[in-house]
Structure formats: structure tokens, C-alpha cells
């Protein structure tokens, strides 16, 4: 093992599902990579589609690192990333013995939220989330839907009761965002904080606007 190798870095799993808000996923991934984190990335079929629908043809999984570098600079190469198939329930992160210290599902569809709330573990995103809950590790869920049905609200409560941090995709405006990137920075900063990372993605609240 060499210093800085994936084996020595802190590992975080990121699940990307087919809810709107792909920019939150790419900003979170880039910010973790900039901190030298090793990412175990899983993207659902609709997560793939939303990456392209919302961020353009360059945002394919196959070209994700060049996309992140073009958007966020060479700092993203400080970290490393493994891409897993969502169908591979035999992947390392499907087991509690894997050393992933936390996971974020960003953005999280109502379908995946329901699956996590009921422990279904039908694909790798659902299984890795289940592992985080059973191992009492940090699971950050970033749901996006509006308005919400009673079942969706109950599923959020179930996940919170099981120990997940519910972090809805609700960017704030007191930091006077000017661009979509400012809004994405705010959400990525909230996610990094919830995972236990320090960051400077948005200015701290000073008591006045
Ligand atoms: C363009 C587009 C936008 C969508 N936005 C949302 C959304 O914001 N929230 C949501 O829960 N589902 C949304 N969906 C529906 C999900 O993609 C769909 O339920 C899918 O089955 C989720 O599967 P997954 O969780 O495995 O990615 C959207 C679908 C499309 C095609």
C-alpha cells in the first residue's frame, strides 16, 4: 500500500438515482475527490439518463472524470473513483466488511427512497444503503420530489428513524447565489458536512445577509 493509494484513503459510496438534480451529484463527487477521498460510485439506469438529460452529452459515466475536470479543475485528480454496476450485488460495498465510512444517495428518487425505507436491497444502491444502516454508518439521503405523497413522507420518516440523515435537495438563498453552480455548491457543502467533512463550498452564516 502506498500513501495516497485508494486503500489508504477514506472511502465514501455515492449512489446517483433518477431524480432531478444531477448537478448535485457531480458537484458532491468533485468536492469529495478534491479532498482526496476514494469514491465507490453506483449510478442507476435512470441516474445515467438524468446525468445526460440535465448536464449534456459530455456527462456520460464513461467520461465522468474528464467532465468533472472540465467543470471543476484538475483538483479532482486528488481522489480516486471505482464505478460499480448497480446490478452487481456481489460488489465489495454490498458487504459490511468493506471499509466505506459513509454513503450519500444524491439525488435520491422516491422509488429508491421507498426501497431503502423498506430494506429491499434489490440493487447495489439499495443494498449499500442497507449496509450503512445495519452497520450504523452515515447514510445521507438527498430526496427530490414535490409535492410529496403521504407514502413518500412516511418513507422519509422510516429512513430517519433507522438512522439516515434526510437532506432534501433544498438549496438556500441567503448566500445570494448567482448561478446554478452556487446552488449546487450549497447542496454539496451540506452533504459533505453531513458526511463529516470540512469544506468552503459556501460562506458560513454570519448572522446577517
Ligand atoms: C426527466 C426525469 C425526471 C425525473 N425526476 C424525478 C424526481 O425529481 N424525483 C423522483 O422521485 N423521480 C423522478 N423521476 C422518475 C424516476 O427516474 C423513476 O421513478 C425511476 O424509476 C427511478 O429509478 P431509480 O431510483 O432506480 O433511479 C424522473 C424521471 C425522468 C425521466
Amino acid at each position: 500500500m502506498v500513501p495516497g493509494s485508494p486503500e489508504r484513503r477514506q472511502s465514501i459510496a455515492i449512489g446517483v438515482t433518477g431524480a432531478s438534480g444531477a448537478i448535485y451529484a457531480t458537484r458532491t463527487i468533485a468536492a469529495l475527490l478534491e479532498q482526496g477521498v476514494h469514491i465507490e460510485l453506483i449510478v442507476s439506469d435512470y441516474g445515467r439518463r438524468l446525468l445526460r438529460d440535465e448536464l449534456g452529452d459530455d456527462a456520460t459515466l464513461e467520461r465522468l472524470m474528464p467532465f468533472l475536470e472540465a467543470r471543476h479543475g484538475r483538483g479532482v485528480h486528488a481522489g480516486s473513483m471505482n464505478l460499480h454496476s448497480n446490478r452487481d450485488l456481489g460488489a465489495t460495498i454490498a458487504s459490511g466488511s468493506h471499509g466505506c465510512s459513509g454513503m450519500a444517495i444524491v439525488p435520491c428518487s422516491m422509488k429508491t427512497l421507498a426501497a431503502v425505507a423498506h430494506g429491499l436491497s434489490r440493487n447495489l444502491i439499495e443494498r449499500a444503503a442497507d449496509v450503512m444502516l445495519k452497520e450504523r454508518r452515515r447514510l445521507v439521503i438527498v430526496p427530490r420530489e414535490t409535492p410529496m405523497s403521504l407514502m413518500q413522507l412516511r418513507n422519509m420518516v422510516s429512513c430517519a428513524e433507522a438512522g439516515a440523515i434526510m437532506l432534501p435537495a433544498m438549496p438556500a438563498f441567503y448566500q445570494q447565489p448567482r448561478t446554478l453552480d452556487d446552488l449546487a455548491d450549497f447542496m454539496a457543502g451540506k452533504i459533505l458536512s453531513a458526511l463529516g467533512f470540512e469544506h468552503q463550498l459556501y460562506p458560513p452564516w454570519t448572522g446577517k445577509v
Side-chain angles (χ1 to χ4, degrees), residues 109-181:
S109 73
M110 296 301 100
K111 177 189 141 197
T112 294
L113 171 72
V116 175
H118 294 275
L120 298 186
S121 289
R122 294 166 304 183
N123 58 43
L124 187 55
I125 293 177
E126 295 172 9
R127 170 64 188 168
D130 211 32
V131 167
M132 291 295 137
L133 294 177
K134 84 181 178 72
E135 299 290 335
R136 305 291 194 269
R137 297 185 198 152
R138 288 189 208 207
L139 173 63
V140 179
I141 298 179
V142 185
R144 206 236 61 102
E145 187 52 277
T146 196
M148 284 190 162
S149 71
L150 183 59
M151 291 89 80
Q152 293 162 347
L153 293 166
R154 284 189 172 139
N155 287 335
M156 289 205 292
V157 172
S158 294
C159 287
E161 285 174 341
I165 298 172
M166 297 310 303
L167 201 154
M170 291 180 182
F173 291 83
Y174 58 76
Q175 80 282 22
Q176 299 188 340
R178 292 177 193 281
T179 64
L180 291 181
D181 284 336

Side-chain angles (χ1 to χ4, degrees), residues 17-20 44 46-47 49-50 53 109-112 144-145:
T17 72
S20 189
S44 72
Y46 272 84
R49 171 174 170 173
L50 270 281
D53 282 359
S109 73
M110 296 301 100
K111 177 189 141 197
T112 294
R144 206 236 61 102
E145 187 52 277

Side-chain angles (χ1 to χ4, degrees), residues 39-54:
I39 294 179
E40 305 281 359
L41 178 65
I42 325 152
V43 183
S44 72
D45 289 346
Y46 272 84
R48 271 179 188 260
R49 171 174 170 173
L50 270 281
L51 277 170
R52 289 185 76 158
D53 282 359
E54 296 189 342

